[in-house]
Amino acid sequence: MQLKDLADNVINGYQISREEALELFNAPLDLLKEGATKITSAFFKQAIELCCISNGKCGKCSEDCKFCSQSRHYNTGVKESPLKSVDEFFAEAKYNSDRGVHRFSIVTSGPKLTHDEVKVIAQAYKKISSELKISCCGSLGLLNLDDLQLLKESGLSRYHCNVETSPNFFKEICTTHSLKQKERTIAYAKEAGLEICSGCIIGMGESIEDRADIALYLRKLQVDSAPINILNPIRGTPLENREIVTPDEVRRCIAVFRYILPKTVLRLAGGRLLIQKYFSDLYNYGINAEITGDMLTTAGLTIADDIDTAIKCDRVISKIEPVQD
């Protein structure tokens, strides 16, 4: 199939193959941009959705994810902090809601929370969802169905569980849990009636084949939102000396993701400062959402900066609802 026809076929329901995805990684960048823009415009308004994250519980994680500053396996200097209170979560959510942010996500370290910790977060979601105009999201580890149902009943609308990388490369990044466990959590979240947010980190040493396989894997999981993180090599982690991916690598990867995931919200996530000089150009390659403000243990861009940039690029600041077939 010719590249010039591929975008139209994707818009009409065609799902590209792995072979075609790999060919896209070698296609002229200007043609990729043109096709990705066309696909995005077919399924979404010219909108940018903003979400923020709260570092709800930090550090001393038992898992050995090689990119993470919060793992107790590495000496990164990140300080441990216990789970925040309901009032602390509410104050953060209100601050962001008042400034036009659409989604508030509580993120916690560790493979999963205790049930008592889940109950605290459920109370926070109930207060936030009943008093503020901001959607509640969560990234709380490998929770079971009962906990996810409680959170759903309390106001949680979307659950986040990153696949991080391809099935083939995952074992090079983490050995203390598996993708099968993540798949099970995502299945539980769907059963509980939650939308799914799951994405990856680019630049950990994965191949082009791995990058294609990530997007194909996310397509299989039928995710609603896919955060794309750019590795920010953190001192003390095994990946501290990784070279930063180039701007064109980022552009190309996002465009290919858009071809594979035409109806999925593609969200700029970690590594925002690394791409600060060109991130608005990524709107033309398929990005239509971003995490604003600081990340978990690294700095991000301010809400005001993100809103100003989106407006200058003629994007409306708006919550993006899942596309209905």
Side-chain angles (χ1 to χ4, degrees):
M1 186 178 299
Q2 296 295 318
L3 178 56
K4 64 182 179 63
D5 300 322
L6 193 53
D8 287 331
N9 285 319
V10 168
I11 291 168
N12 290 324
Y14 178 73
Q15 291 192 339
I16 72 171
S17 66
R18 186 174 189 267
E19 181 181 4
E20 288 168 326
L22 294 175
E23 289 177 359
L24 286 176
F25 274 102
N26 294 309
L29 192 56
D30 59 337
L31 294 181
L32 269 183
K33 177 180 179 179
E34 180 181 335
T37 297
K38 191 172 187 179
I39 294 168
T40 307
S41 298
F43 296 109
F44 301 98
K45 297 178 181 179
Q46 292 285 85
I48 297 295
E49 181 184 79
L50 300 178
C51 67
C52 63
I53 56 178
S54 169
N55 193 347
K57 177 185 176 184
C58 185
K60 294 296 181 182
C61 180
S62 62
E63 307 306 282
D64 67 354
C65 306
K66 291 182 179 179
F67 55 83
C68 187
S69 63
Q70 298 193 61
S71 172
R72 70 185 183 192
H73 296 267
Y74 317 127
N75 183 19
T76 63
V78 169
K79 294 181 179 179
E80 181 181 12
S81 60
L83 187 69
K84 291 175 180 175
S85 68
V86 171
D87 287 343
E88 286 175 312
F89 285 129
F90 182 82
E92 290 183 14
K94 186 176 189 307
Y95 175 89
N96 284 277
S97 179
D98 288 347
R99 285 156 181 78
V101 177
H102 307 104
R103 294 184 177 277
F104 175 76
S105 182
I106 297 174
V107 183
T108 55
S109 66
K112 66 177 295 184
L113 297 175
T114 67
H115 186 63
D116 285 342
E117 290 174 323
V118 170
K119 288 193 289 185
V120 171
I121 292 178
Q123 292 171 21
Y125 285 146
K126 187 172 183 178
K127 183 175 177 63
I128 292 166
S129 61
S130 63
E131 298 184 31
L132 302 176
K133 292 183 178 180
I134 192 167
S135 295
C136 293
C137 304
S139 181
L140 311 171
L142 305 173
L143 296 184
N144 60 36
L145 179 57
D146 288 343
D147 286 340
L148 288 164
Q149 287 174 330
L150 171 62
L151 294 172
K152 165 69 174 176
E153 293 165 2
S154 302
L156 180 66
S157 62
R158 179 176 288 179
Y159 199 69
H160 172 262
C161 186
N162 264 359
V163 300
E164 310 298 7
T165 191
S166 73
N168 179 65
F169 194 65
F170 187 86
K171 60 185 177 296
E172 302 297 326
I173 297 301
C174 179
T175 66
T176 49
H177 61 267
S178 68
L179 273 180
K180 287 295 183 183
Q181 289 173 280
K182 288 177 175 284
E183 278 193 45
R184 183 170 65 239
T185 299
I186 289 171
Y188 285 154
K190 286 186 176 185
E191 187 175 347
L194 295 164
E195 298 169 5
I196 302 300
C197 179
S198 184
C200 62
I201 304 173
I202 300 300
M204 296 191 292
E206 74 283 348
S207 65
I208 296 301
E209 289 79 8
D210 287 317
R211 292 177 187 174
D213 287 341
I214 293 167
L216 293 167
Y217 187 40
L218 293 173
R219 186 174 74 184
K220 171 189 170 186
L221 294 174
Q222 297 181 316
V223 302
D224 301 288
S225 169
I228 299 173
N229 299 268
I230 310 304
L231 179 70
N232 185 359
I234 296 173
R235 183 175 298 178
T237 66
L239 301 184
E240 64 178 343
N241 294 318
R242 281 282 172 198
E243 291 187 11
I244 305 298
V245 290
T246 67
D248 280 356
E249 279 186 277
V250 176
R251 292 182 175 100
R252 187 176 296 278
C253 188
I254 289 169
V256 176
F257 272 48
R258 177 51 75 208
Y259 272 84
I260 297 173
L261 302 164
K263 297 183 181 181
T264 299
V265 176
L266 297 185
R267 189 177 308 274
L268 284 180
R272 293 291 310 280
L273 290 184
L274 299 176
I275 60 175
Q276 184 174 6
K277 292 182 179 179
Y278 67 93
F279 84 85
S280 62
D281 185 42
L282 300 178
Y283 298 161
N284 299 313
Y285 289 84
I287 288 295
N288 55 352
E290 53 201 38
I291 297 179
T292 189
D294 289 340
M295 303 297 131
L296 294 177
T297 62
T298 58
L301 299 178
T302 69
I303 300 169
D305 284 342
D306 278 335
I307 291 176
D308 184 58
T309 299
I311 291 173
K312 287 179 179 178
C313 295
D314 294 324
R315 260 60 176 186
V316 176
I317 305 298
S318 173
K319 182 178 177 182
I320 300 174
E321 301 292 348
V323 173
Q324 301 297 322
D325 291 327

